[in-house]
Amino acid sequence: MADFVFLLKNVLVVSLAMNMGLIWKISYDDDETPTFKWGGLQQKLHIHGYSFNGDKENIVEDEEEEAHVSKRSKLQATTSSRLAPDVWEIQSLVINLDHGDPTMYESFWKQRAEETTVMTSSWQHISYFSDVNNVCWFMEPGLVSAITRLHKVVGNAVTEGRHIVVGTGSSQLYQAALYALSPPNGSSPMNVVSAAPFYSSYPLMTDYLKSGLHKWAGDAYEFNNEEPYIELVTSPNNPDGFTRQEVVKGDKGILIHDLAYYWPQYTPILLPADYDIMLFTVSKSTGHAGSRIGWALVKDREIAKKMTTFIEINTIGVSKDSQIRAAKILQAVSDSCDHENQKEEESFFDYSFKLMAERWKKLREAVNKTELFSLPSFPQETCSFSGRTFGQLPAFAWLKCEGEVDDCESFLRLHNIVTRGGKHFGASMKYVRISMLSRDYEFKLLTERLPAMNK
Amino acid sequence: MADFVFLLKNVLVVSLAMNMGLIWKISYDDDETPTFKWGGLQQKLHIHGYSFNGDKENIVEDEEEEAHVSKRSKLQATTSSRLAPDVWEIQSLVINLDHGDPTMYESFWKQRAEETTVMTSSWQHISYFSDVNNVCWFMEPGLVSAITRLHKVVGNAVTEGRHIVVGTGSSQLYQAALYALSPPNGSSPMNVVSAAPFYSSYPLMTDYLKSGLHKWAGDAYEFNNEEPYIELVTSPNNPDGFTRQEVVKGDKGILIHDLAYYWPQYTPILLPADYDIMLFTVSKSTGHAGSRIGWALVKDREIAKKMTTFIEINTIGVSKDSQIRAAKILQAVSDSCDHENQKEEESFFDYSFKLMAERWKKLREAVNKTELFSLPSFPQETCSFSGRTFGQLPAFAWLKCEGEVDDCESFLRLHNIVTRGGKHFGASMKYVRISMLSRDYEFKLLTERLPAMNK
């Protein structure tokens, strides 16, 4: 499941605290060219292996910034006199790996731009309704087909006898499931638990409205009373990447399986998952976080109806435009896996697996150069989809600061790396969660900075 | 603000109860050709002034329906022997005017199909982020520009000094505003009121999670205690179309203005609205309900930030695809109003005003032919946008059953018209709300059936 919530504030605080007046803010163009802001000024710099090329034509983008003439002149003078910034400038770049913004797949989709373009005219998809014969009446039939096909191709989830409910990302579906599973007239709110370290947004999403239906009851390992409960099982787990089973095993429990990362670029697929409520999202499967499309596979029709009701009240359905687009993208992924139609092009999961494997190799090499950090180890298993034998390649690195560093998040911030500290996941502050899904140059900066900290 | 919640159940109940075995269910193709279902069978019928043309090629769409052969043969025999169905068949068509599905603008957008088509490739809009420098960091800058321009063109709202927050429809923004305005640690939930008749989804959206932050406190006219409150002011009002001001006028109140219908096809624009929190939606302004895009104009930066936080937790932002599309459509509306660029084409608001005026004329004529019903009257005022002088042309008709009929909703259901009864709006069951935004043939059936009931 996608996440962040802490991000923006952190960036600003860190930037202000650390950079002593030279503040670089990073945004992105469509062509992956970061735009840096220096005080009130903007300058486009093309980064290819840190070869910064000042582009004088683009320095002044906002003509209203007349007050900054002196600063601008100074910057122009600096950048025009050399091709690369000095080491101090690279070190002062804040890289934000707090959230899991899945920009790393962008290159793959650029290669497939032509066949995956969606055209929508203004008269299309006007109605609230998609299919009044479906329990989830706002779900586009084309998306139902695309999801069903992809699960069959990958073999990661049973779809037979399931109702599919579409959501505005899987966050909304998590809340819809809580609504559907909590008794409407219970004497006290339903307990919601997950084994620590758990996804940092679960407590927030459960409690932000102080609901009388459900309440966050913390670490599933510590939940041992006799009350009814809902247990979230995230597998592979966010933040640490391990395969999970339910922990409480009580007879009054209901399970929600968050399978956002149960895809073959992150983990060996062992069996088609066959649980009562399973959550997925395009954010992590194909990298389309901006579309806000998730789906739930739900065994019980009444639960699916109640989840649909939640989304009806919450947002009166889910963007048709994004559903249409997600259907096209999921079909393209299935097409890419269909060897008969493959035209010798790499499948999406081949591409993404190789990228994840390469990144994990580089990260482990970087961490092994220092005694400051450690990473989890995962057992090797054989993936039924790819036939490959490998250990987990999680979307997040669950990094531990060894030795005397007790607050790993603050320690990394001193080196301009923004991560999310262990306390947000119900764990020790010796841990941080680091996104592995960033763009290449951010990941490269990470792997260069980690071993350098030991010096 | 868009709405329905009661719809699907009603259709099925009514269909089953009323049609004695001949159940017509209606769905829509892109070419506005309704598809009728008869039992398990489907048949496409082209309706143009009720000239039904059976299309035998399309009768059997689902090859798995072998069990229905005898019924299918019967239908084929019936439809192939004549061009039009008999009166009994037309009468048994259920028309659903319960919700405000704004399909009536589809024809306009078909005329502008070429210049309003959006193309999106799979590598675009991948990130969660749109603009990290904006309070609402997931809002596309192009949508900010389009909204600002349209309000300036129409003159219906002040945008200067406002923060714009985008939502998954204005329903989400309503909930975001409640979250932002309710004290996080209040001794009791914040009271939420609106003057009856009020939008039927307000109580549901306020209370469905049994929040400890806020609670529905009913009709604003009956709220007179000294506690803090939030008052919803919907103007023009849903369901009855009247212009509204706040009712409670206490010193502990905070106002949310729902201005979903403050557009020149529904009401004379008198002044640019200038309130603290104003909600709008493309569902009702341009008719694009399927895109689920609403926006709030918010004066206070902290409130805008808290609303953004709500949407961050609720759905981690809003579909980029729909934002991009909404921006294109709103720009097209502004372009159509720009007389210099108009190429003698009708502007969107000219088109939609004429359509609404024509429908209200026909509805009033139909109602005047019988003594069974009455409609509200509205004062004439001059619209600062169009220069026209007219009374309100609401998106819903607030119809009253006169005489001895106490349950107007049930009475109309007997004639296969699905509406929403007054009790859902905190009003008498002698009233119903009827959508005026349906497709032409549904509206035509409505205006034919109402006077016929008197016979």
Side-chain angles (χ1 to χ4, degrees):
Chain A
M1 190 179 282
D3 66 326
F4 38 66
V5 180
F6 310 96
L7 163 68
L8 293 171
K9 200 165 51 185
N10 294 350
V11 184
L12 295 174
V13 169
V14 173
S15 297
L16 289 165
M18 300 304 303
N19 291 323
M20 297 166 288
L22 180 66
I23 301 169
W24 296 93
K25 292 180 194 166
I26 308 178
S27 62
Y28 305 99
D29 290 337
D30 283 345
D31 62 354
E32 270 198 78
T33 307
T35 303
F36 294 82
K37 273 197 171 179
W38 188 83
L41 298 178
Q42 278 198 347
Q43 182 179 29
K44 286 192 178 180
L45 300 175
H46 294 259
I47 299 187
H48 300 290
Y50 309 141
S51 171
F52 289 51
N53 297 297
D55 179 356
K56 286 175 71 175
E57 307 312 317
N58 283 321
I59 288 178
V60 183
E61 293 201 335
D62 186 347
E63 294 186 356
E64 292 176 7
E65 290 181 349
E66 293 306 320
H68 296 280
V69 168
S70 62
K71 279 187 184 175
R72 185 185 305 139
S73 304
K74 190 176 163 191
L75 184 63
Q76 282 174 331
T78 309
T79 54
S80 61
S81 63
R82 56 183 166 73
L83 285 175
D86 59 29
V87 173
W88 184 75
E89 281 174 324
I90 293 176
Q91 285 176 345
S92 67
L93 270 173
V94 174
I95 53 171
N96 193 315
L97 304 169
D98 169 282
H99 58 283
D101 203 22
T103 46
M104 70 182 272
Y105 303 128
E106 207 173 56
S107 304
F108 177 86
W109 293 113
K110 280 191 177 176
Q111 295 165 18
R112 305 296 174 103
E114 202 171 327
E115 66 262 37
T116 54
T117 293
V118 174
M119 283 179 63
T120 311
S121 191
S122 55
W123 61 270
Q124 296 179 299
H125 322 307
I126 276 183
S127 171
Y128 291 104
F129 298 95
S130 294
D131 179 3
V132 293
N133 297 311
N134 189 350
V135 165
C136 185
W137 52 265
F138 47 76
M139 183 161 192
E140 288 291 309
L143 184 56
V144 174
S145 308
I147 288 168
T148 306
R149 179 183 173 205
L150 185 60
H151 282 306
K152 279 188 183 146
V153 166
V154 175
N156 64 337
V158 170
T159 56
E160 288 78 13
R162 257 64 177 191
H163 302 277
I164 306 182
V165 180
V166 66
T168 310
S170 55
S171 297
Q172 189 180 39
L173 289 163
Y174 167 73
Q175 293 163 69
L178 291 191
Y179 175 81
L181 298 175
S182 302
N185 299 306
S187 56
S188 63
M190 178 70 118
N191 297 293
V192 182
V193 299
S194 189
F198 43 73
Y199 173 38
S200 52
S201 287
Y202 286 150
L204 202 56
M205 291 192 289
T206 310
D207 285 347
Y208 73 127
L209 292 172
K210 297 192 170 185
S211 175
L213 298 180
H214 43 68
K215 68 168 192 285
W216 180 248
D219 186 357
Y221 287 114
E222 296 181 10
F223 183 80
N224 57 7
N225 68 25
E226 296 299 308
E227 290 177 18
Y229 65 91
I230 295 167
E231 181 177 349
L232 274 299
V233 183
T234 310
S235 184
N237 191 41
N238 175 357
D240 65 8
F242 284 97
T243 298
R244 284 253 176 122
Q245 302 292 331
E246 70 270 28
V247 163
V248 184
K249 297 184 190 294
D251 57 1
K252 293 183 179 173
I254 312 174
L255 304 180
I256 300 172
H257 280 80
D258 184 346
L259 305 182
Y261 303 98
Y262 192 49
W263 295 98
Q265 69 267 51
Y266 302 121
T267 184
I269 303 299
L270 302 180
L271 284 169
D274 185 14
Y275 304 108
D276 289 348
I277 302 175
M278 300 184 274
L279 308 184
F280 292 92
T281 168
V282 292
S283 301
K284 299 301 151 62
S285 54
T286 69
H288 291 86
S291 289
R292 315 304 314 117
I293 294 291
W295 66 94
L297 304 180
V298 183
K299 200 178 275 183
D300 185 279
R301 183 182 168 88
E302 289 308 307
I303 301 293
K305 280 171 71 176
K306 284 184 193 165
M307 289 177 70
T308 299
T309 298
F310 174 91
I311 296 171
E312 198 173 309
I313 303 171
N314 192 211
T315 55
I316 319 188
V318 175
S319 162
K320 307 278 182 257
D321 313 314
S322 285
Q323 289 190 61
I324 300 286
R325 187 180 180 214
K328 183 97 172 181
I329 287 164
L330 295 182
Q331 292 287 13
V333 172
S334 291
D335 288 345
S336 81
C337 298
D338 184 341
H339 292 288
E340 287 180 276
N341 298 329
Q342 207 170 322
K343 306 170 196 166
E344 297 184 18
E345 286 177 342
E346 201 170 31
S347 81
F348 173 75
F349 291 118
D350 266 355
Y351 174 92
S352 50
F353 169 84
K354 287 175 189 167
L355 199 52
M356 289 305 297
E358 181 66 19
R359 286 197 173 186
W360 270 95
K361 181 166 168 280
K362 285 183 176 165
L363 182 69
R364 289 191 188 279
E365 283 170 1
V367 165
N368 288 340
K369 286 179 189 163
T370 162
E371 293 183 348
L372 271 176
F373 308 110
S374 65
L375 286 167
S377 296
F378 302 103
Q380 302 252 322
E381 291 177 288
T382 301
C383 177
S384 60
F385 170 74
S386 66
R388 292 188 179 101
T389 298
F390 64 101
Q392 313 274 4
L393 302 166
F396 297 102
W398 187 236
L399 187 81
K400 185 180 181 187
C401 272
E402 298 290 348
E404 291 174 6
V405 177
D406 290 327
D407 182 348
C408 198
E409 181 184 345
S410 298
F411 177 75
L412 290 174
R413 280 189 184 181
L414 289 173
H415 297 84
N416 286 341
I417 303 171
V418 181
T419 62
R420 193 173 301 175
K423 70 177 178 189
H424 300 298
F425 306 90
S428 157
M429 282 301 283
K430 286 187 82 73
Y431 289 89
V432 293
R433 194 195 71 169
I434 302 179
S435 170
M436 295 290 285
L437 305 181
S438 66
R439 286 184 171 82
D440 279 341
Y441 66 89
E442 288 172 301
F443 182 76
K444 189 167 182 185
L445 282 176
L446 171 72
T447 53
E448 292 189 342
R449 283 185 193 175
L450 289 178
M453 292 177 200
N454 205 20
K455 290 172 184 169
Chain B
M1 188 178 283
D3 66 327
F4 39 66
V5 181
F6 308 97
L7 163 66
L8 292 172
K9 201 164 51 184
N10 294 350
V11 184
L12 294 175
V13 170
V14 173
S15 297
L16 289 166
M18 301 304 304
N19 290 323
M20 297 166 288
L22 180 66
I23 302 168
W24 296 93
K25 290 180 193 165
I26 308 178
S27 62
Y28 306 99
D29 291 335
D30 282 347
D31 61 356
E32 270 198 77
T33 306
T35 303
F36 293 83
K37 272 199 173 180
W38 187 83
L41 298 177
Q42 278 199 348
Q43 181 179 31
K44 284 192 178 178
L45 301 175
H46 293 260
I47 299 187
H48 300 291
Y50 309 139
S51 172
F52 288 52
N53 297 295
D55 179 356
K56 286 175 71 175
E57 306 312 315
N58 282 321
I59 288 179
V60 184
E61 294 201 334
D62 186 346
E63 294 184 355
E64 293 175 7
E65 290 180 349
E66 293 305 319
H68 296 282
V69 168
S70 62
K71 281 186 182 175
R72 185 186 303 141
S73 303
K74 191 175 163 190
L75 184 65
Q76 282 174 332
T78 310
T79 54
S80 61
S81 64
R82 56 183 167 73
L83 286 174
D86 60 29
V87 172
W88 183 77
E89 281 173 323
I90 292 176
Q91 285 176 345
S92 66
L93 270 173
V94 174
I95 53 171
N96 193 313
L97 303 169
D98 169 282
H99 57 282
D101 202 23
T103 46
M104 69 183 273
Y105 302 130
E106 207 174 56
S107 305
F108 177 86
W109 292 113
K110 280 190 176 175
Q111 294 165 20
R112 305 296 174 102
E114 201 171 329
E115 65 260 39
T116 54
T117 294
V118 174
M119 283 180 61
T120 311
S121 191
S122 55
W123 61 269
Q124 295 178 300
H125 322 305
I126 275 184
S127 172
Y128 291 103
F129 297 96
S130 295
D131 180 3
V132 294
N133 297 312
N134 189 349
V135 166
C136 185
W137 52 266
F138 47 76
M139 183 162 192
E140 288 292 309
L143 184 56
V144 174
S145 309
I147 288 168
T148 307
R149 180 183 172 204
L150 185 60
H151 282 306
K152 279 188 182 146
V153 166
V154 176
N156 65 336
V158 171
T159 56
E160 287 79 13
R162 257 65 177 189
H163 301 278
I164 307 183
V165 180
V166 67
T168 310
S170 54
S171 296
Q172 189 180 38
L173 290 163
Y174 167 73
Q175 293 163 69
L178 291 191
Y179 175 81
L181 298 174
S182 302
N185 299 308
S187 56
S188 62
M190 179 71 118
N191 298 293
V192 182
V193 299
S194 189
F198 43 72
Y199 172 39
S200 52
S201 288
Y202 285 150
L204 202 56
M205 289 192 290
T206 310
D207 285 347
Y208 73 127
L209 292 173
K210 297 192 169 185
S211 174
L213 298 180
H214 42 70
K215 68 168 192 284
W216 181 249
D219 186 357
Y221 287 114
E222 296 181 10
F223 183 79
N224 57 7
N225 67 26
E226 296 299 308
E227 291 178 17
Y229 65 92
I230 295 168
E231 181 177 348
L232 273 299
V233 182
T234 310
S235 184
N237 191 40
N238 174 357
D240 64 8
F242 284 98
T243 298
R244 284 249 175 127
Q245 301 292 332
E246 69 270 28
V247 162
V248 184
K249 297 185 188 296
D251 57 1
K252 292 184 179 173
I254 312 174
L255 303 180
I256 300 172
H257 280 79
D258 183 347
L259 305 181
Y261 304 98
Y262 193 49
W263 295 98
Q265 69 267 51
Y266 304 121
T267 184
I269 302 300
L270 302 180
L271 284 170
D274 185 15
Y275 305 108
D276 289 349
I277 302 174
M278 300 183 275
L279 308 184
F280 292 91
T281 168
V282 292
S283 301
K284 298 303 151 60
S285 55
T286 69
H288 291 85
S291 289
R292 314 304 316 117
I293 293 292
W295 65 93
L297 305 180
V298 183
K299 199 179 274 183
D300 185 279
R301 183 183 169 88
E302 290 307 308
I303 301 293
K305 280 171 71 175
K306 284 184 193 164
M307 290 177 69
T308 299
T309 299
F310 174 91
I311 296 171
E312 197 173 310
I313 303 170
N314 192 210
T315 55
I316 318 186
V318 174
S319 162
K320 308 277 182 257
D321 312 314
S322 285
Q323 289 190 62
I324 300 287
R325 187 180 179 213
K328 184 99 172 179
I329 287 164
L330 295 182
Q331 291 287 13
V333 171
S334 291
D335 288 345
S336 81
C337 298
D338 184 340
H339 292 288
E340 285 180 278
N341 297 331
Q342 207 170 321
K343 306 170 197 167
E344 297 185 15
E345 286 178 339
E346 200 171 32
S347 81
F348 173 75
F349 292 119
D350 266 354
Y351 173 93
S352 51
F353 170 83
K354 287 175 188 166
L355 199 52
M356 289 304 298
E358 181 66 19
R359 286 197 172 187
W360 270 96
K361 182 168 169 278
K362 286 183 177 166
L363 182 70
R364 289 191 187 278
E365 284 169 1
V367 165
N368 287 341
K369 287 180 189 164
T370 161
E371 293 183 348
L372 272 176
F373 308 110
S374 67
L375 286 166
S377 295
F378 302 103
Q380 302 252 322
E381 292 178 288
T382 300
C383 177
S384 60
F385 170 74
S386 67
R388 292 189 178 99
T389 298
F390 63 102
Q392 314 274 2
L393 303 165
F396 297 101
W398 186 235
L399 188 82
K400 186 181 181 186
C401 273
E402 298 290 349
E404 291 173 5
V405 177
D406 289 328
D407 182 348
C408 197
E409 181 183 345
S410 299
F411 178 75
L412 291 174
R413 280 188 184 183
L414 290 173
H415 296 84
N416 286 340
I417 302 171
V418 182
T419 62
R420 193 174 301 175
K423 70 177 177 189
H424 300 298
F425 305 91
S428 157
M429 282 301 284
K430 285 186 82 72
Y431 289 89
V432 292
R433 194 196 70 169
I434 303 179
S435 171
M436 295 290 285
L437 305 181
S438 66
R439 287 184 170 83
D440 279 341
Y441 66 89
E442 288 172 303
F443 183 75
K444 189 169 180 184
L445 282 177
L446 171 72
T447 52
E448 292 189 343
R449 285 185 192 174
L450 288 178
M453 292 177 200
N454 207 20
K455 290 172 185 170

